[in-house]
Amino acid sequence: MHVAIIMDGNGRWAVKRGLPRPAGHRAGAETVRRIVEAAVASQVSVLTLYAFSADNWLRPRREVSALMKLMKRYLVSERLRCIENGIRVNVIGRRDRLAPELVRSIEDLERATAHGDRLLLRLAVDYSSRQLLLKAARESRNPTTFEEFERCIESVSHSVPGVPSVDLLIRTGGEQRLSDFLLWECAYAELVFSDTYWPDYTEAEFRAALDEYSRRDRRFGQLSGQLSQRSA
Ligand code: IPE
Ligand code: IPE
Ligand code: MG
């Protein structure tokens, strides 16, 4: 099962407490740790987290640099935990605008965790679905199937190959929009929105979203009966 999360609401969480916005991002990083553990425990096989969008570069310089610093620290501090828990880390998005030291930390962690087989944790950094789709379209030579084009998208995104489409997309923080995240991959995703700001998002709420997902009737354009017949 592939779960994707738009981790939103860090800034508002901080402002509500009279703290600077980066304090919200730091608290959000703690939530990442907890939800990754919950995902492993719930036997989710792929978790894709939206950490920094291509449009987030337009935020004030101080906030961008706080986010970059936090990302670098996270990639280093989580190394052992990921290796011990069988978590394979993969950073998707553009890399040409990231600081060379950050790219090195990304490559290090990807290498160090490449054998993890319990959870594929994809972190979307400098990510824009539309930019990547455009790049894939430019670089692919007449793909004839969805799967072929998906391999092109993965390749331009620095994603490991063969990742299944998103089954469940969660967005915290109260907004109900995609913000240029996994537009192709979410074609038939179930959507769950939460008003909770990301730093306050709990394992219990995550598990409740998985329960909600399991109650949904996914039809993929067909009738429920047809699908259960095929899988029987
Ligand atoms: C999400 O939280 C994290 C990033 C975009 C990096 P925000 O920073 O968007 O928090 P809000 O939406 O302003 O509360
Ligand atoms: C989306 O959140 C990006 C991340 C969570 C990293 P934003 O806060 O940037 O999205 P908008 O601006 O509300 O659409
Ligand atoms: Mg936001």
Side-chain angles (χ1 to χ4, degrees):
M1 178 177 180
H2 182 175
V3 178
I5 308 183
I6 301 175
M7 311 182 289
D8 197 21
N10 293 350
R12 280 165 288 161
W13 180 92
V15 169
K16 205 176 81 183
R17 286 167 174 70
L19 298 168
R21 291 176 55 89
H25 298 310
R26 282 194 294 277
E30 296 300 317
T31 308
V32 171
R33 194 168 295 144
R34 288 188 282 105
I35 298 305
V36 167
E37 274 174 31
V40 173
S42 310
Q43 291 170 6
V44 167
S45 52
V46 185
L47 180 66
T48 304
L49 302 178
Y50 206 1
F52 189 85
S53 76
D55 288 325
N56 288 151
W57 288 114
L58 301 170
R59 291 188 179 193
R61 224 183 36 214
R62 278 226 318 270
E63 179 163 347
V64 170
S65 87
L67 278 163
M68 290 296 150
K69 223 179 275 168
L70 188 62
M71 212 112 61
K72 172 114 199 303
R73 204 175 323 139
Y74 180 85
L75 294 173
V76 175
S77 69
E78 294 312 291
R79 184 187 177 100
L80 204 59
R81 206 189 306 265
C82 289
I83 295 171
E84 284 173 359
N85 290 303
I87 298 169
R88 178 177 189 181
V89 180
N90 176 210
V91 174
I92 60 170
R94 284 177 69 165
R95 292 192 184 176
D96 58 309
R97 300 191 289 192
L98 303 178
E101 315 87 72
L102 182 58
V103 175
R104 260 198 303 280
S105 320
I106 290 170
E107 290 169 351
D108 274 358
L109 188 59
E110 286 184 335
R111 213 173 302 117
T113 61
H115 298 294
D117 57 2
R118 287 183 76 192
L119 173 74
L120 171 62
L121 172 61
R122 296 197 312 168
L123 303 172
V125 177
D126 195 0
Y127 183 93
S128 155
S129 225
R130 286 178 302 179
Q131 281 183 18
L132 291 166
L133 286 168
L134 191 61
K135 188 155 192 243
R138 217 183 284 127
E139 292 185 11
S140 60
R141 291 185 203 90
N142 285 325
T144 52
T145 62
F146 282 172
E147 287 73 20
E148 246 179 81
F149 190 54
E150 276 159 9
R151 298 298 90 88
C152 298
I153 298 170
E154 286 168 347
S155 153
V156 299
S157 316
H158 299 96
S159 171
V160 304
V163 176
S165 291
V166 175
D167 296 299
L168 167 64
L169 176 86
I170 299 170
R171 180 169 187 146
T172 65
E175 314 296 350
Q176 305 195 350
R177 53 179 172 249
L178 294 175
S179 303
D180 206 4
F181 189 44
L182 299 173
L183 299 183
W184 173 285
E185 296 83 346
C186 282
Y188 273 101
E190 295 296 327
L191 311 179
V192 170
F193 297 104
S194 160
D195 287 333
T196 307
Y197 293 145
W198 177 250
D200 287 333
Y201 197 68
T202 60
E203 295 91 314
E205 207 177 335
F206 178 69
R207 283 193 298 270
L210 296 180
D211 285 346
E212 160 77 32
Y213 167 82
S214 66
R215 288 191 297 273
R216 300 271 177 96
D217 181 19
R218 302 185 80 191
R219 293 192 286 278
F220 300 96
Q222 304 165 51
L223 309 180
S224 335
Q226 291 180 288
L227 285 165
S228 48
Q229 258 167 28
R230 192 167 306 160
S231 57

